[in-house]
């Protein structure tokens, strides 16, 4: 299995920045991509960004494309989400996830880290 531990969440004022980290351990050999999702209260979980583990190709939700940057450090099995120009609507629990390919999809999830953006 794969274990994921997120860190870096917290309280920040609108316009500020945070960097989230996700450290992966366990069986990561079959992982194709890692990504970030978020979920606000009473809302469905939504896709934020992803990165291919091997190629580094990145994908973003339109709402964060200009402001957020996803990156990875293969040697450390860690993925990052740099969040700039934060807005109050970015407030959510942010989850790290591992995609194991088309057959398995987003199979492994972290427990999440809270990001709260105040006005």
């Amino acid at each position: 299995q794969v274990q994921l531990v997120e860190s870096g969440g917290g309280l920040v004022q609108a316009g500020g920045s945070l960097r989230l980290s996700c450290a992966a351990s366990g069986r990561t050999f079959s992982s194709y991509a890692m990504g970030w999702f978020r979920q606000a209260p009473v809302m469905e979980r939504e896709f934020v960004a992803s990165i291919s583990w091997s190629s580094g190709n990145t994908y973003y939700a339109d709402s964060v494309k200009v402001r957020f940057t996803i990156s990875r450090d293969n040697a450390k099995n860690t993925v990052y989400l740099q969040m700039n120009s934060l807005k109050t609507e970015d407030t959510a629990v942010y989850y790290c996830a591992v995609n194991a390919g088309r057959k398995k999809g987003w199979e492994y999830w972290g427990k999440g880290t809270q990001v709260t953006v105040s006005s």
Side-chain angles (χ1 to χ4, degrees):
Q1 280 198 339
V2 176
Q3 288 76 233
L4 303 172
V5 180
E6 303 101 330
S7 62
L11 176 64
V12 65
Q13 288 188 322
S17 299
L18 284 173
R19 187 179 73 166
L20 305 183
S21 299
C22 175
S25 61
R27 284 190 160 198
T28 60
F29 178 77
S30 61
S31 299
Y32 288 87
M34 295 184 69
W36 291 95
F37 294 74
R38 66 187 182 187
Q39 187 169 18
V42 198
M43 301 292 288
E44 289 191 330
R45 191 169 299 180
E46 66 174 341
F47 170 80
V48 176
S50 66
I51 185 167
S52 170
W53 197 247
S54 59
S55 70
N57 291 342
T58 59
Y59 303 89
Y60 298 92
D62 288 342
S63 60
V64 307
K65 192 181 295 290
V66 178
R67 300 180 295 118
F68 292 9
T69 302
I70 188 170
S71 61
R72 84 278 196 267
D73 186 331
N74 290 23
K76 297 180 179 179
N77 285 324
T78 300
V79 65
Y80 306 94
L81 185 67
Q82 179 66 46
M83 306 185 295
N84 298 324
S85 301
L86 283 162
K87 305 174 181 179
T88 55
E89 51 261 46
D90 295 318
T91 296
V93 177
Y94 283 70
Y95 297 90
C96 178
V98 171
N99 192 298
R102 283 178 286 183
K103 188 175 182 178
K104 295 290 185 180
W106 297 100
E107 187 174 14
Y108 301 102
W109 297 83
K111 294 182 178 180
T113 185
Q114 177 71 48
V115 172
T116 302
V117 184
S118 65
S119 60

